[in-house]
Coordinates of all heavy atoms in Angstrom, one line a residue:
M459 N 88.1 98.5 128.7 CA 89.1 97.6 128.2 C 88.6 97.0 126.9 O 87.5 96.6 126.8 CB 89.4 96.5 129.3 CG 90.5 95.6 128.9 SD 90.9 94.7 130.4 CE 91.4 93.2 129.7
R460 N 89.5 96.8 126.0 CA 89.2 96.3 124.7 C 89.1 94.8 124.8 O 90.0 94.2 125.3 CB 90.2 96.7 123.6 CG 90.2 98.2 123.4 CD 91.4 98.7 122.7 NE 91.3 98.3 121.3 CZ 92.2 98.7 120.4 NH1 93.2 99.4 120.8 NH2 92.1 98.3 119.2
E461 N 88.1 94.2 124.1 CA 88.0 92.7 124.1 C 89.1 92.1 123.3 O 89.7 91.2 123.6 CB 86.6 92.3 123.6 CG 85.5 92.5 124.7 CD 84.2 92.0 124.2 OE1 84.2 91.1 123.3 OE2 83.2 92.5 124.6
N462 N 89.3 92.7 122.1 CA 90.3 92.2 121.1 C 91.3 93.3 120.9 O 91.0 94.3 120.5 CB 89.7 91.8 119.8 CG 88.7 90.6 120.0 OD1 89.0 89.6 120.7 ND2 87.5 90.7 119.4
L463 N 92.6 93.0 121.2 CA 93.6 93.9 120.9 C 94.0 93.9 119.4 O 94.5 92.9 119.0 CB 94.8 93.7 121.8 CG 94.6 93.9 123.3 CD1 95.8 93.4 124.0 CD2 94.3 95.3 123.6
E464 N 93.7 94.9 118.7 CA 94.0 95.0 117.3 C 94.8 96.2 117.0 O 94.7 97.2 117.7 CB 92.7 95.1 116.5 CG 91.8 93.8 116.5 CD 92.4 92.6 115.9 OE1 93.2 92.8 114.9 OE2 92.1 91.5 116.3
P465 N 95.7 96.1 116.0 CA 96.4 97.3 115.7 C 95.5 98.5 115.4 O 94.4 98.3 114.9 CB 97.3 96.9 114.5 CG 97.3 95.4 114.6 CD 96.0 95.0 115.2
E466 N 96.0 99.7 115.7 CA 95.2 100.9 115.4 C 94.9 101.0 113.9 O 95.8 100.7 113.1 CB 95.9 102.1 115.8 CG 96.0 102.3 117.4 CD 94.7 102.5 118.0 OE1 93.8 103.1 117.4 OE2 94.5 102.2 119.2
D467 N 93.7 101.3 113.6 CA 93.3 101.5 112.1 C 93.9 102.7 111.5 O 94.1 102.8 110.4 CB 91.8 101.4 112.0 CG 91.2 100.1 112.4 OD1 91.9 99.1 112.2 OD2 90.1 100.1 112.8
N468 N 94.0 103.8 112.4 CA 94.4 105.0 111.8 C 95.4 105.7 112.7 O 95.0 106.4 113.6 CB 93.2 105.9 111.6 CG 93.5 107.2 111.0 OD1 94.6 107.5 110.5 ND2 92.5 108.1 110.9
F469 N 96.7 105.6 112.4 CA 97.7 106.3 113.1 C 98.2 107.5 112.3 O 99.1 108.2 112.6 CB 98.9 105.4 113.4 CG 98.9 104.9 114.9 CD1 98.2 103.7 115.2 CD2 99.4 105.6 115.9 CE1 98.1 103.3 116.5 CE2 99.4 105.2 117.2 CZ 98.7 104.0 117.5
D470 N 97.5 107.8 111.2 CA 97.8 109.0 110.4 C 97.7 110.2 111.2 O 98.5 111.1 111.0 CB 96.9 109.1 109.1 CG 97.2 107.9 108.2 OD1 98.3 107.3 108.2 OD2 96.2 107.6 107.4
G471 N 96.7 110.3 112.1 CA 96.5 111.5 112.9 C 97.3 111.5 114.2 O 97.3 112.5 114.9
Y472 N 98.0 110.4 114.4 CA 98.7 110.3 115.7 C 100.2 110.7 115.4 O 100.9 110.1 114.6 CB 98.7 108.8 116.1 CG 99.5 108.5 117.4 CD1 99.0 108.9 118.6 CD2 100.6 107.8 117.3 CE1 99.7 108.6 119.8 CE2 101.4 107.5 118.4 CZ 100.9 107.9 119.7 OH 101.6 107.6 120.8
E473 N 100.6 111.7 116.1 CA 102.0 112.1 116.0 C 102.9 111.4 116.9 O 102.8 111.4 118.1 CB 102.1 113.6 116.2 CG 103.5 114.2 115.9 CD 103.6 115.7 116.0 OE1 102.6 116.3 115.6 OE2 104.6 116.2 116.4
I474 N 103.8 110.6 116.3 CA 104.7 109.8 117.1 C 105.9 110.6 117.6 O 106.5 111.2 116.8 CB 105.2 108.5 116.3 CG1 104.0 107.7 116.0 CG2 106.2 107.7 117.1 CD1 104.3 106.5 115.0
P475 N 106.1 110.7 118.9 CA 107.2 111.5 119.4 C 108.6 111.1 118.8 O 108.8 109.9 118.6 CB 107.2 111.3 120.9 CG 105.8 110.9 121.2 CD 105.4 110.1 120.0
D476 N 109.5 112.0 118.6 CA 110.8 111.8 118.0 C 111.6 110.8 118.9 O 112.4 110.1 118.3 CB 111.6 113.1 117.9 CG 111.0 114.0 116.8 OD1 110.3 113.4 115.9 OD2 111.2 115.2 116.9
E477 N 111.4 110.8 120.2 CA 112.2 109.9 121.0 C 111.8 108.4 120.9 O 112.6 107.5 121.3 CB 111.9 110.3 122.5 CG 110.6 109.9 123.0 CD 109.9 110.9 123.9 OE1 110.3 112.1 123.8 OE2 109.1 110.5 124.8
C478 N 110.7 108.1 120.2 CA 110.3 106.7 120.0 C 111.2 105.9 119.1 O 111.6 106.5 118.1 CB 108.8 106.6 119.5 SG 107.7 107.1 120.8
F479 N 111.4 104.7 119.4 CA 112.0 103.8 118.4 C 111.0 103.3 117.5 O 110.1 102.5 117.9 CB 112.6 102.6 119.2 CG 113.6 101.7 118.5 CD1 114.9 101.7 118.8 CD2 113.1 100.9 117.4 CE1 115.8 100.9 118.1 CE2 114.0 100.1 116.7 CZ 115.3 100.1 117.1
L480 N 111.0 103.8 116.3 CA 109.9 103.5 115.3 C 110.4 102.4 114.4 O 111.5 102.5 113.8 CB 109.6 104.7 114.5 CG 108.5 104.6 113.4 CD1 107.2 104.3 114.1 CD2 108.4 105.9 112.7
L481 N 109.6 101.4 114.2 CA 109.9 100.3 113.2 C 109.4 100.7 111.9 O 108.1 100.6 111.7 CB 109.3 99.0 113.7 CG 109.8 98.4 115.0 CD1 109.0 97.2 115.4 CD2 111.3 98.1 115.0
E482 N 110.2 101.1 111.0 CA 109.7 101.6 109.7 C 109.0 100.4 108.9 O 109.5 99.3 108.9 CB 110.9 102.1 108.9 CG 111.4 103.4 109.4 CD 112.4 104.1 108.5 OE1 112.3 104.0 107.3 OE2 113.3 104.7 109.0
G483 N 107.9 100.8 108.4 CA 107.1 99.8 107.6 C 106.1 99.0 108.4 O 105.4 98.2 107.9
Y484 N 106.1 99.3 109.7 CA 105.2 98.5 110.6 C 104.2 99.4 111.4 O 103.8 99.1 112.5 CB 106.0 97.6 111.6 CG 106.8 96.6 110.9 CD1 108.1 96.7 110.6 CD2 106.2 95.4 110.4 CE1 108.9 95.8 110.0 CE2 106.9 94.4 109.7 CZ 108.2 94.6 109.5 OH 108.9 93.7 108.8
D485 N 103.9 100.6 110.9 CA 103.0 101.5 111.5 C 101.7 100.9 111.8 O 101.1 101.1 112.9 CB 102.8 102.8 110.7 CG 104.1 103.7 110.7 OD1 105.1 103.3 111.3 OD2 104.0 104.7 110.0
E486 N 101.2 100.0 110.9 CA 99.9 99.4 111.1 C 99.9 98.4 112.2 O 98.8 97.9 112.6 CB 99.4 98.8 109.7 CG 100.2 97.5 109.4 CD 101.6 97.8 108.7 OE1 101.9 99.0 108.4 OE2 102.3 96.8 108.4
C487 N 101.1 98.1 112.7 CA 101.2 97.1 113.8 C 101.2 97.7 115.2 O 101.3 97.0 116.2 CB 102.4 96.3 113.6 SG 102.5 95.4 112.0
I488 N 101.1 99.1 115.2 CA 101.2 99.8 116.5 C 99.8 99.6 117.2 O 98.8 99.9 116.7 CB 101.5 101.3 116.3 CG1 102.9 101.4 115.7 CG2 101.4 102.0 117.7 CD1 103.2 102.9 115.3
L489 N 99.9 99.2 118.5 CA 98.7 99.1 119.3 C 98.4 100.3 120.1 O 97.3 100.7 120.4 CB 98.8 97.9 120.3 CG 98.8 96.5 119.7 CD1 99.1 95.5 120.7 CD2 97.4 96.2 119.0
G490 N 99.5 101.0 120.5 CA 99.4 102.2 121.3 C 100.7 102.6 121.8 O 101.8 102.3 121.3
H491 N 100.7 103.2 123.0 CA 102.0 103.6 123.6 C 101.8 103.6 125.2 O 100.7 103.5 125.7 CB 102.4 104.9 123.2 CG 101.5 106.0 123.6 ND1 100.4 106.4 122.9 CD2 101.6 106.9 124.6 CE1 99.8 107.4 123.5 NE2 100.5 107.7 124.5
T492 N 103.0 103.6 125.8 CA 103.0 103.7 127.3 C 104.2 104.7 127.6 O 104.8 105.3 126.7 CB 103.2 102.4 127.9 OG1 103.0 102.5 129.3 CG2 104.5 101.7 127.6
F493 N 104.5 104.8 128.8 CA 105.6 105.7 129.2 C 106.6 104.9 130.2 O 106.2 104.1 131.0 CB 105.1 106.9 130.0 CG 104.1 107.7 129.1 CD1 102.7 107.5 129.3 CD2 104.5 108.6 128.2 CE1 101.8 108.2 128.5 CE2 103.6 109.3 127.4 CZ 102.3 109.1 127.6
D494 N 107.9 105.3 130.0 CA 108.8 104.6 130.9 C 108.9 105.4 132.2 O 108.1 106.4 132.4 CB 110.2 104.5 130.3 CG 110.9 105.8 130.0 OD1 110.4 106.9 130.4 OD2 112.0 105.8 129.3
D495 N 109.8 105.1 133.1 CA 109.9 105.7 134.4 C 110.3 107.2 134.3 O 110.0 108.0 135.2 CB 111.0 105.0 135.3 CG 110.5 103.6 135.7 OD1 109.3 103.4 135.7 OD2 111.4 102.8 136.0
E496 N 110.9 107.6 133.2 CA 111.3 109.0 133.0 C 110.3 109.8 132.2 O 110.5 110.9 131.9 CB 112.7 109.0 132.3 CG 113.8 108.4 133.2 CD 115.1 108.3 132.4 OE1 115.2 108.8 131.3 OE2 116.0 107.7 133.0
G497 N 109.2 109.2 131.8 CA 108.1 109.8 131.1 C 108.3 109.8 129.6 O 107.5 110.4 128.9
K498 N 109.3 109.1 129.1 CA 109.5 109.0 127.6 C 108.4 108.0 127.1 O 108.0 107.0 127.7 CB 110.9 108.4 127.3 CG 112.0 109.4 127.6 CD 113.3 108.8 127.2 CE 114.4 109.7 127.6 NZ 115.8 109.1 127.3
T499 N 108.0 108.3 125.9 CA 106.9 107.5 125.2 C 107.6 106.3 124.6 O 108.6 106.3 124.0 CB 106.3 108.3 124.1 OG1 105.8 109.5 124.6 CG2 105.2 107.5 123.4
I500 N 106.9 105.1 124.9 CA 107.4 103.8 124.4 C 106.2 103.3 123.5 O 105.1 103.1 124.0 CB 107.7 102.8 125.5 CG1 108.7 103.4 126.5 CG2 108.1 101.5 125.0 CD1 110.1 103.7 125.9
L501 N 106.5 102.9 122.3 CA 105.5 102.4 121.4 C 105.3 100.9 121.7 O 106.2 100.2 122.1 CB 105.9 102.5 119.9 CG 105.9 103.9 119.4 CD1 106.4 103.9 117.9 CD2 104.5 104.5 119.5
I502 N 104.0 100.5 121.6 CA 103.6 99.1 121.8 C 103.2 98.5 120.4 O 102.2 99.1 119.8 CB 102.5 98.9 122.8 CG1 102.9 99.6 124.1 CG2 102.1 97.5 123.0 CD1 101.8 99.7 125.1
Y503 N 103.9 97.5 120.0 CA 103.5 96.8 118.7 C 102.9 95.5 119.0 O 103.2 94.8 119.9 CB 104.8 96.6 117.9 CG 105.4 97.8 117.3 CD1 106.3 98.6 118.0 CD2 105.1 98.1 116.0 CE1 106.8 99.7 117.4 CE2 105.6 99.3 115.4 CZ 106.5 100.0 116.1 OH 107.0 101.1 115.5
S504 N 102.0 95.1 118.1 CA 101.4 93.7 118.1 C 102.4 92.8 117.4 O 102.7 92.9 116.2 CB 100.1 93.7 117.3 OG 99.7 92.4 117.1
Y505 N 102.9 91.8 118.2 CA 103.8 90.8 117.7 C 103.1 90.0 116.5 O 103.7 89.8 115.5 CB 104.2 89.8 118.8 CG 104.9 88.6 118.3 CD1 106.3 88.6 118.0 CD2 104.3 87.4 118.2 CE1 107.0 87.5 117.6 CE2 104.9 86.3 117.7 CZ 106.3 86.3 117.5 OH 106.9 85.2 117.0
D506 N 101.9 89.6 116.7 CA 101.1 88.9 115.7 C 101.0 89.7 114.4 O 101.1 89.1 113.4 CB 99.8 88.5 116.3 CG 99.8 87.5 117.4 OD1 100.8 86.7 117.5 OD2 99.0 87.6 118.3
A507 N 100.7 91.0 114.5 CA 100.5 91.8 113.3 C 101.9 91.9 112.6 O 101.9 91.9 111.4 CB 100.0 93.2 113.7
I508 N 103.0 92.0 113.3 CA 104.3 92.1 112.7 C 104.6 90.8 111.9 O 105.0 90.8 110.8 CB 105.4 92.4 113.7 CG1 105.2 93.8 114.2 CG2 106.8 92.2 113.1 CD1 106.2 94.2 115.3
I509 N 104.3 89.7 112.6 CA 104.5 88.3 112.0 C 103.7 88.2 110.7 O 104.1 87.8 109.6 CB 104.3 87.2 112.9 CG1 105.3 87.2 114.1 CG2 104.3 85.8 112.2 CD1 106.7 87.1 113.7
D510 N 102.4 88.7 110.8 CA 101.5 88.6 109.6 C 102.0 89.5 108.5 O 102.0 89.1 107.3 CB 100.1 89.1 110.0 CG 99.4 88.1 110.9 OD1 99.8 86.9 110.9 OD2 98.3 88.4 111.5
A511 N 102.5 90.7 108.9 CA 103.1 91.6 107.8 C 104.3 91.0 107.1 O 104.5 91.1 105.9 CB 103.4 92.9 108.5
I512 N 105.1 90.3 107.9 CA 106.3 89.6 107.3 C 105.9 88.5 106.4 O 106.4 88.3 105.3 CB 107.3 89.1 108.4 CG1 107.8 90.3 109.2 CG2 108.4 88.4 107.8 CD1 108.6 90.0 110.4
V513 N 104.9 87.7 106.9 CA 104.4 86.6 106.1 C 103.8 87.1 104.8 O 103.9 86.5 103.7 CB 103.3 85.8 106.9 CG1 102.5 84.8 106.0 CG2 103.9 85.0 108.0
D514 N 103.2 88.3 104.8 CA 102.6 88.9 103.6 C 103.6 89.2 102.5 O 103.3 89.4 101.4 CB 101.8 90.1 103.9 CG 100.5 89.9 104.6 OD1 100.1 88.7 104.6 OD2 99.9 90.8 105.2
T515 N 104.9 89.2 102.9 CA 106.0 89.4 101.9 C 106.3 88.1 101.2 O 107.2 88.1 100.3 CB 107.3 89.9 102.6 OG1 107.8 89.0 103.5 CG2 107.0 91.2 103.3
G516 N 105.7 87.0 101.6 CA 105.9 85.7 100.8 C 106.7 84.7 101.5 O 107.2 83.7 100.9
V517 N 106.9 84.8 102.8 CA 107.7 83.8 103.6 C 106.7 83.0 104.5 O 105.6 83.4 104.7 CB 108.8 84.4 104.5 CG1 109.8 85.2 103.6 CG2 108.2 85.3 105.5
T518 N 107.2 81.9 105.0 CA 106.4 81.1 105.9 C 106.3 81.7 107.3 O 107.1 82.6 107.6 CB 106.9 79.7 106.0 OG1 108.2 79.7 106.7 CG2 107.1 79.0 104.7
E519 N 105.4 81.3 108.1 CA 105.3 81.8 109.5 C 106.6 81.5 110.2 O 107.1 82.4 111.0 CB 104.1 81.2 110.2 CG 103.9 81.9 111.6 CD 102.6 81.5 112.2 OE1 101.7 81.0 111.6 OE2 102.5 81.7 113.4
E520 N 107.1 80.3 110.1 CA 108.4 80.0 110.7 C 109.5 80.9 110.3 O 110.3 81.4 111.2 CB 108.8 78.5 110.5 CG 107.8 77.5 111.1 CD 106.5 77.3 110.3 OE1 106.5 77.7 109.1 OE2 105.5 76.9 110.9
E521 N 109.6 81.2 109.0 CA 110.6 82.1 108.5 C 110.4 83.5 109.0 O 111.3 84.3 109.4 CB 110.6 82.1 107.0 CG 111.1 80.8 106.4 CD 110.9 80.8 104.9 OE1 109.9 81.3 104.4 OE2 111.8 80.2 104.2
A522 N 109.1 83.9 109.1 CA 108.8 85.2 109.7 C 109.2 85.4 111.1 O 109.7 86.5 111.5 CB 107.3 85.5 109.5
I523 N 109.1 84.3 111.9 CA 109.5 84.4 113.3 C 111.0 84.5 113.4 O 111.5 85.3 114.2 CB 109.0 83.1 114.1 CG1 107.5 83.2 114.2 CG2 109.7 83.0 115.4 CD1 106.9 81.9 114.6
V524 N 111.8 83.8 112.5 CA 113.2 84.0 112.5 C 113.6 85.4 112.1 O 114.5 86.0 112.7 CB 113.9 82.9 111.5 CG1 115.3 83.2 111.3 CG2 113.7 81.5 112.1
I525 N 112.9 85.9 111.1 CA 113.2 87.3 110.6 C 112.9 88.3 111.8 O 113.7 89.2 112.0 CB 112.4 87.6 109.4 CG1 112.9 86.8 108.2 CG2 112.4 89.1 109.1 CD1 112.0 86.9 107.0
F526 N 111.8 88.1 112.5 CA 111.5 89.0 113.6 C 112.5 88.9 114.6 O 113.0 89.9 115.1 CB 110.1 88.6 114.2 CG 109.8 89.4 115.4 CD1 109.3 90.7 115.4 CD2 110.1 88.9 116.7 CE1 109.0 91.4 116.5 CE2 109.8 89.6 117.8 CZ 109.3 90.9 117.8
D527 N 112.9 87.7 115.0 CA 113.9 87.5 116.1 C 115.3 88.2 115.7 O 115.9 88.8 116.5 CB 114.1 86.1 116.4 CG 112.9 85.5 117.2 OD1 112.1 86.2 117.7 OD2 112.8 84.2 117.2
S528 N 115.7 87.9 114.5 CA 117.0 88.4 114.1 C 117.1 89.8 113.5 O 118.1 90.4 113.7 CB 117.6 87.4 113.1 OG 116.9 87.4 111.9
E529 N 116.1 90.2 112.9 CA 116.2 91.5 112.2 C 115.3 92.6 112.9 O 115.5 93.8 112.5 CB 115.7 91.4 110.7 CG 116.6 90.5 109.9 CD 116.2 90.4 108.5 OE1 115.4 91.2 108.0 OE2 116.6 89.4 107.8
I530 N 114.5 92.2 113.8 CA 113.7 93.3 114.4 C 114.0 93.3 115.9 O 114.5 94.3 116.5 CB 112.2 93.1 114.2 CG1 111.9 93.2 112.7 CG2 111.3 94.1 115.0 CD1 110.5 92.9 112.2
A531 N 113.6 92.2 116.6 CA 113.8 92.2 118.1 C 115.2 92.4 118.5 O 115.5 93.1 119.5 CB 113.2 90.9 118.7
D532 N 116.2 91.7 117.9 CA 117.6 91.9 118.3 C 118.1 93.2 118.1 O 119.1 93.6 118.7 CB 118.4 90.8 117.5 CG 118.3 89.4 118.1 OD1 117.7 89.3 119.2 OD2 118.9 88.5 117.5
L533 N 117.5 94.0 117.2 CA 118.0 95.4 116.9 C 117.3 96.4 117.8 O 117.8 97.6 117.8 CB 117.8 95.7 115.4 CG 118.5 94.8 114.4 CD1 118.2 95.2 113.0 CD2 120.0 94.8 114.7
C534 N 116.3 96.1 118.5 CA 115.6 97.0 119.3 C 116.3 97.1 120.7 O 115.9 96.4 121.6 CB 114.1 96.6 119.4 SG 113.2 96.7 117.9
I535 N 117.3 97.9 120.8 CA 118.0 98.1 122.0 C 117.9 99.5 122.5 O 117.7 100.4 121.7 CB 119.5 97.6 121.9 CG1 120.2 98.3 120.8 CG2 119.5 96.1 121.7 CD1 121.6 98.0 120.7
G536 N 118.2 99.7 123.7 CA 118.2 101.1 124.2 C 117.0 101.4 125.1 O 116.1 100.6 125.2
D537 N 117.1 102.6 125.7 CA 116.0 102.9 126.7 C 114.6 103.1 126.1 O 113.6 102.9 126.7 CB 116.4 104.2 127.4 CG 117.6 104.0 128.3 OD1 117.9 102.9 128.7 OD2 118.3 105.0 128.5
N538 N 114.6 103.5 124.8 CA 113.3 103.8 124.2 C 112.8 102.7 123.2 O 112.0 102.9 122.4 CB 113.3 105.1 123.5 CG 114.4 105.2 122.4 OD1 115.2 104.3 122.3 ND2 114.3 106.2 121.5
R539 N 113.3 101.5 123.4 CA 113.0 100.4 122.5 C 111.5 100.1 122.7 O 110.9 100.3 123.8 CB 113.8 99.1 122.8 CG 113.6 98.5 124.2 CD 114.5 97.4 124.4 NE 114.4 96.9 125.8 CZ 115.1 97.4 126.8 NH1 116.0 98.3 126.6 NH2 115.0 96.8 128.0
P540 N 110.8 99.6 121.6 CA 109.4 99.3 121.7 C 109.1 98.1 122.5 O 110.0 97.3 122.8 CB 109.0 99.1 120.3 CG 110.3 98.6 119.6 CD 111.4 99.3 120.3
I541 N 107.9 97.9 122.9 CA 107.3 96.8 123.6 C 106.6 95.9 122.5 O 105.9 96.5 121.7 CB 106.4 97.2 124.7 CG1 107.1 97.9 125.8 CG2 105.6 96.0 125.2 CD1 106.2 98.5 126.8
F542 N 106.8 94.6 122.5 CA 106.1 93.7 121.6 C 105.1 93.0 122.5 O 105.4 92.2 123.4 CB 107.0 92.8 120.9 CG 108.0 93.5 120.1 CD1 109.3 93.6 120.5 CD2 107.7 94.1 118.9 CE1 110.3 94.3 119.8 CE2 108.6 94.8 118.2 CZ 109.9 94.9 118.6
L543 N 103.8 93.2 122.1 CA 102.7 92.5 122.9 C 102.3 91.2 122.2 O 101.9 91.2 121.0 CB 101.5 93.4 123.0 CG 100.3 92.9 123.8 CD1 100.7 92.6 125.3 CD2 99.2 93.8 123.7
Y544 N 102.5 90.1 122.9 CA 102.2 88.8 122.3 C 100.8 88.5 122.8 O 100.5 88.5 124.0 CB 103.1 87.7 122.9 CG 104.6 88.0 122.4 CD1 105.4 88.9 123.1 CD2 105.1 87.2 121.4 CE1 106.7 89.1 122.7 CE2 106.4 87.4 121.0 CZ 107.2 88.4 121.7 OH 108.5 88.6 121.3
T545 N 99.9 88.2 121.8 CA 98.5 87.9 122.2 C 98.0 86.6 121.7 O 98.7 86.0 120.9 CB 97.5 89.0 121.6 OG1 97.7 89.0 120.2 CG2 97.8 90.3 122.2

């Protein structure tokens, strides 16, 4: 078990299955993946890393949370939606 959950440093060699709901621009925020009851791959993203990435665009943390809630989390619907891990 990892002591600190950090986004993967190198997903360049990791082939993300087509069935995954991929958040474009947030590959560096992927922690890993899991499988649903039907065996489909579900990506796991670091919530904190996504917020940090949004803040890096020049907004406050509070604004980043609103952006995440309204532009990312609310749009992730369906059976293959990603999991956001809050740490």
Side-chain angles (χ1 to χ4, degrees):
M459 187 165 147
R460 296 165 74 175
E461 286 185 24
N462 295 315
L463 294 175
E464 294 293 330
E466 290 292 334
D467 293 329
N468 182 9
F469 260 89
D470 295 335
Y472 177 76
E473 187 172 324
I474 297 172
D476 292 336
E477 72 219 27
C478 290
F479 191 114
L480 181 64
L481 299 174
E482 290 188 34
Y484 296 100
D485 290 358
E486 69 279 359
C487 302
I488 298 172
L489 291 171
H491 66 276
T492 189
F493 302 97
D494 68 7
D495 292 339
E496 297 173 5
K498 291 182 183 175
T499 305
I500 305 295
L501 291 178
I502 302 170
Y503 285 87
S504 166
Y505 169 82
D506 294 327
I508 292 174
I509 296 299
D510 289 344
I512 297 170
V513 167
D514 288 345
T515 67
V517 300
T518 67
E519 185 171 345
E520 292 78 20
E521 292 169 323
I523 292 168
V524 171
I525 291 169
F526 174 83
D527 289 342
S528 63
E529 296 181 19
I530 297 175
D532 282 353
L533 299 178
C534 294
I535 57 173
D537 293 335
N538 60 346
R539 66 186 174 271
I541 294 170
F542 300 106
L543 182 64
Y544 298 80
T545 57

